[in-house]
Amino acid sequence: VPDDMKNVGEDRMTSSFGESTLTPPCSSVQCNMPECQAPFEKKEDGTCCGYCWAPDHVVGLDRHKATKSLYEADLCPSAPTSCRGPGGGAQCFAPSCDEGYEAHCVPGACCATCEYKGF
């Protein structure tokens, strides 16, 4: 677009007085913000609508950390490095094998699977 045509027509960004013709981003957003229950407080930090917030030390945050399970099992000894992380490793559980099968680690597997005993 030529420079002399950049601010012409219905798509122009400023009026002839230099005022913005752009619609504010939140102008069509309707907020229905409920009251925040203690210990939460309403925050408005550049979002269209406020939100309820409390610091981590006041309200425990579930970071989805794994808990110990009776059925948890170790990774296979030959598990590839991709099973060990980054960002946490694979979570293995002891397989519940039918009669005639037993837990076995196949090459390249993170966790044991049930295989026929005659492998």
Side-chain angles (χ1 to χ4, degrees), residues 3 9 22 24 43 48 51-52 74-75 117:
D3 284 342
L22 298 176
K43 280 198 121 177
C48 290
Y51 57 95
C52 296
D74 292 332
L75 292 174
K117 286 183 182 178

Side-chain angles (χ1 to χ4, degrees), residues 2-89:
D3 284 342
D4 61 339
M5 297 296 288
K6 284 186 179 177
N7 200 28
V8 175
E10 62 184 54
D11 293 328
R12 68 189 203 178
M13 292 197 225
T14 56
S15 69
S16 58
F17 298 105
E19 297 167 342
S20 175
T21 59
L22 298 176
T23 305
C26 297
S27 64
S28 62
V29 176
Q30 293 181 353
C31 300
N32 186 14
M33 184 66 196
E35 292 294 318
C36 297
Q37 301 290 320
F40 293 94
E41 58 187 49
K42 185 175 178 181
K43 280 198 121 177
E44 295 180 29
D45 56 3
T47 59
C48 290
C49 300
Y51 57 95
C52 296
W53 177 88
D56 288 351
H57 72 278
V58 174
V59 177
L61 179 65
D62 180 4
R63 296 196 187 273
H64 303 290
K65 292 185 178 180
T67 58
K68 287 290 182 189
S69 167
L70 297 173
Y71 304 102
E72 189 174 341
D74 292 332
L75 292 174
C76 291
S78 62
T81 56
S82 61
C83 299
R84 302 180 198 289

